[in-house]
Amino acid sequence: MSFKVYIPTYKRAGKMLTHKVFPEAIIVCPESQVDDYREYYPDMEFMPCPDSVEGNTARKRNWIKDNADTDYLIMVDDDIKCFYYADNRKQYELSGEHLREVIENGFIMAEDLGTVLWGINLQTDLKFYMEYSPFSLTSVVLGPFTGHIKRGNNLRYDERLPLKEDYDYSLQVLWKYRKLLRFNKYSYEAGHINNEDGGCVSIRTWERELEQNILLQKKWGKKIVKFDMERSINPIVTAPLKGI
């Protein structure tokens, strides 16, 4: 199976990490920043996007989906330090051909299950991986790593939710296909929490996060989306399989 890896990035030239894991990936940056990025990553492939696309993560993800020349695409954040897999209550680095094999199998299994989205565990801490539950079908997958099957998939990221677009997209997939695929055995380590600039940091504030959580909850209802901003800026979502 042939797939392509796309790295959406903004004002992060010289600060990316993911290219070390995926040297074959395609960098998706604004046209006005291509020269800056090429200076640091001269051997990588670029897919410049219009500057007008920037400023909204959901809009950029939609643009990548529309312009990707493959039916099997990975979108991965630019600050992924490492991938891991859990085995016998221990954790190991996942890289190279092993990582690519996992990705191929992810697409095959998602397609066999009849869904268009798959991903991996959101946490590297082993307590979030239960050996009797190597994968799940109703848990969200988030923006740092998502596998998309483009063929026949007309779902769109909601551009009203540039900070919660990944939660919403997972819910859309669950609502339409009744399932998505998440491998709990695998996980990623990202540096986005500590990033000082670029990417979503450019628009993220506590007030904006609150506004986005409220909007997400209004869209899906309080039984599906819950949040407590004193504990976390991220919501807790429940699969909408019993209706809204």
Side-chain angles (χ1 to χ4, degrees), residues 13 28 30 45 73 75 78 82 86 89 96 105 111-112 140 177 180 190 215-216 233:
V28 186
E45 184 177 348
L73 62 140
M75 285 192 222
D78 64 9
C82 188
R89 299 186 180 181
N105 289 337
E111 203 160 41
D112 287 347
V140 299
Y177 295 92
L180 60 78
L215 182 56
L216 184 69
I233 61 173

Side-chain angles (χ1 to χ4, degrees), residues 11-243:
K11 288 187 176 181
R12 300 268 299 152
K15 299 177 182 178
M16 293 204 321
L17 299 174
T18 309
H19 66 291
K20 297 177 182 179
V21 183
F22 292 112
E24 76 279 21
I26 300 166
I27 296 176
V28 186
C29 67
E31 292 172 335
S32 63
Q33 296 176 25
V34 171
D35 290 342
D36 295 334
Y37 277 86
R38 283 195 194 279
E39 181 179 348
Y40 291 95
Y41 319 107
D43 298 325
M44 295 196 69
E45 184 177 348
F46 286 80
M47 188 169 79
C49 68
D51 284 51
S52 58
V53 170
E54 297 295 348
N56 185 310
T57 309
R59 184 165 62 232
K60 187 163 185 174
R61 294 193 188 281
N62 284 333
W63 188 89
I64 293 173
K65 278 188 62 185
D66 291 343
N67 290 276
D69 60 352
T70 177
D71 281 330
Y72 305 98
L73 62 140
I74 295 289
M75 285 192 222
V76 58
D77 280 1
D78 64 9
D79 56 359
I80 299 294
K81 298 177 180 179
C82 188
F83 289 91
Y84 299 101
Y85 70 95
D87 187 40
N88 196 24
R89 299 186 180 181
K90 293 183 179 179
Q91 194 161 252
Y92 304 90
E93 183 176 341
L94 176 64
S95 60
E97 288 305 310
H98 188 185
L99 174 58
R100 284 148 188 81
E101 182 180 334
V102 167
I103 292 175
E104 288 184 3
N105 289 337
F107 281 117
I108 292 170
M109 188 169 174
E111 203 160 41
D112 287 347
L113 286 167
T115 189
V116 296
L117 181 69
W118 73 274
I120 58 180
N121 208 324
L122 317 178
Q123 304 285 345
T124 58
D125 193 323
L126 283 173
K127 71 182 180 182
F128 291 97
Y129 169 55
M130 297 169 285
E131 293 187 9
Y132 56 82
S133 181
F135 66 89
S136 56
L137 300 178
T138 58
S139 299
V140 299
V141 297
L142 299 184
F145 181 93
T146 48
H148 298 262
I149 298 175
K150 183 176 173 179
R151 184 177 58 252
N153 175 8
N154 61 2
L155 294 179
R156 309 288 290 174
Y157 282 94
D158 191 333
E159 297 182 11
R160 299 173 300 165
L161 294 161
L163 293 178
K164 303 299 175 193
E165 84 292 340
D166 44 3
Y167 287 93
D168 175 75
Y169 193 81
S170 283
L171 286 168
Q172 287 189 59
V173 172
L174 286 168
W175 182 245
K176 180 173 182 178
Y177 295 92
R178 318 310 278 178
K179 63 183 101 56
L180 60 78
L181 174 62
R182 189 174 91 182
F183 290 105
N184 298 318
K185 181 183 180 73
Y186 308 106
S187 60
Y188 52 77
E189 180 181 357
H192 56 273
I193 294 176
N194 298 316
N195 290 342
E196 296 179 357
D197 54 17
C200 287
V201 176
S202 303
I203 61 171
R204 177 173 284 136
T205 64
W206 188 91
E207 290 78 14
R208 191 75 189 279
E209 291 282 357
L210 174 61
E211 173 191 292
Q212 292 279 282
N213 276 327
I214 292 172
L215 182 56
L216 184 69
Q217 189 180 72
K218 285 183 177 179
K219 179 175 181 178
W220 292 100
K222 293 183 178 180
K223 291 184 178 180
I224 292 173
V225 176
K226 299 178 176 63
F227 63 89
D228 181 353
M229 292 290 289
E230 292 185 2
R231 298 183 63 183
S232 173
I233 61 173
N234 295 320
I236 298 173
V237 301
T238 302
L241 301 183
K242 295 182 180 179

